[in-house]
Amino acid sequence: MPIKYRAVHEHMPWKRVGNHRTLDGAINGERGAKKILLGRGSYAQRLWAERGRPICIFVWDDGERAGYAFRVNPVFREIQEARVPVEILEAYDKVKECSDLESLFVVPSSPTLQSSTGHAHLENVLAAMEGCVRETIVLSRGRNAALRNAALAKAEGTCETCGVDFSSILGGRGVRALQVHHRQQLALREIPSVTKLDELAVVCANCHSLIHADSEHALPVEELRTLLAAESHGA
């Protein structure tokens, strides 16, 4: 099957290269991703001079289910590698850009909900790649910050289960109690896959804990809502 190689450089955002015959050569060869990223060898140095510093390189075998993304860690200056579904790489290739590069390699740390985020831009964040197993120090499940923020903005400060409007608590600071819940548990995915906006629910920390009271079988959001409503009415 054809080997696909795509490189993002400072001065050339999307470069398609078609001269790699094997996946290993495209990754580890003299003209492979790792040596290009580190600037090793005359060929790599020439590319740096012509196209600028390489930001990210994608490599995949057209016949496989998953491919690879590589970059140099901006802090530790070492190569990071992420296993990515081919369908995601092909989606990037179709539009010739990678607007959410960071999500492939770094797990976001508690992104802040921007109150100015309106419904107008939500249509641009209806789905995003999540759950990539990335090779750094530990293996973790990636969560997409833009998708999370879109879900929080759509909720407008209200928990989907108990119905409490946390945006009216403590001058709006109450929204910090809200969390984004995957209706289908992310940890149960066998391979990385796409998450759509309507597959997320925004719930408060208390309700989220109740949903996951059984670690192996999450309680559906709708079922918890029904149970809470029944108890509040003394049923």
Side-chain angles (χ1 to χ4, degrees):
M1 293 291 182
I3 301 300
K4 302 294 183 68
Y5 182 107
R6 307 293 185 255
V8 179
H9 290 257
E10 285 179 321
H11 307 316
M12 186 173 289
W14 195 261
K15 175 65 177 177
R16 296 176 176 177
V17 179
N19 58 358
H20 291 286
R21 297 183 178 275
T22 67
L23 190 64
D24 182 67
I27 295 172
N28 301 303
E30 288 299 316
R31 298 191 176 191
K34 292 183 178 180
K35 290 196 174 181
I36 298 301
L37 284 167
L38 296 174
R40 293 178 178 171
S42 58
Y43 177 76
Q45 291 174 8
R46 186 167 71 251
L47 288 185
W48 279 53
E50 293 175 354
R51 304 172 185 172
R53 180 179 59 88
I55 298 170
C56 183
I57 296 177
F58 303 95
V59 181
W60 71 98
D61 186 324
D62 208 24
E64 298 294 328
R65 295 180 62 188
Y68 298 88
F70 301 93
R71 78 163 183 179
V72 174
N73 185 298
V75 177
F76 300 105
R77 308 305 300 170
E78 62 185 15
I79 290 180
Q80 285 183 293
E81 174 182 327
R83 187 83 163 145
V84 183
V86 166
E87 64 185 58
I88 299 298
L89 297 176
E90 289 177 340
Y92 286 143
D93 192 33
K94 186 176 181 180
V95 297
K96 299 181 181 180
E97 62 94 18
C98 180
S99 59
D100 196 21
L101 177 63
E102 194 70 16
S103 70
L104 297 179
F105 300 98
V106 178
V107 180
S109 56
S110 302
T112 302
L113 172 63
Q114 301 296 324
S115 59
S116 61
T117 303
H119 291 286
H121 100 285
L122 296 183
E123 296 300 320
N124 296 324
V125 197
L126 293 181
M129 185 275 298
E130 291 197 315
C132 279
V133 178
R134 65 279 316 271
E135 186 179 56
T136 51
I137 298 176
V138 296
L139 295 181
S140 60
R141 292 285 182 179
R143 287 166 170 77
N144 185 274
L147 190 61
R148 174 187 183 276
N149 286 346
L152 288 168
K154 184 178 179 182
E156 296 184 331
T158 301
C159 173
E160 193 168 326
T161 49
C162 66
V164 173
D165 181 3
F166 285 87
S167 66
S168 63
I169 297 175
L170 296 177
R173 287 177 291 167
V175 295
R176 292 178 178 270
L178 294 176
Q179 300 175 352
V180 177
H181 166 68
H182 288 73
R183 295 178 185 275
Q184 294 185 345
Q185 288 179 262
L186 194 61
L188 298 181
R189 298 183 184 183
E190 294 184 358
I191 62 171
S193 55
V194 171
T195 300
K196 296 181 180 178
L197 187 60
D198 60 8
E199 293 172 343
L200 302 176
V202 173
V203 296
C204 68
N206 286 341
C207 288
H208 207 182
S209 295
L210 293 174
I211 287 172
H212 290 288
D214 184 337
S215 60
E216 295 185 1
H217 303 285
L219 190 66
V221 171
E222 295 75 15
E223 185 175 343
L224 178 58
R225 185 191 305 129
T226 300
L227 291 173
L228 292 177
E231 289 199 359
S232 67
H233 289 88

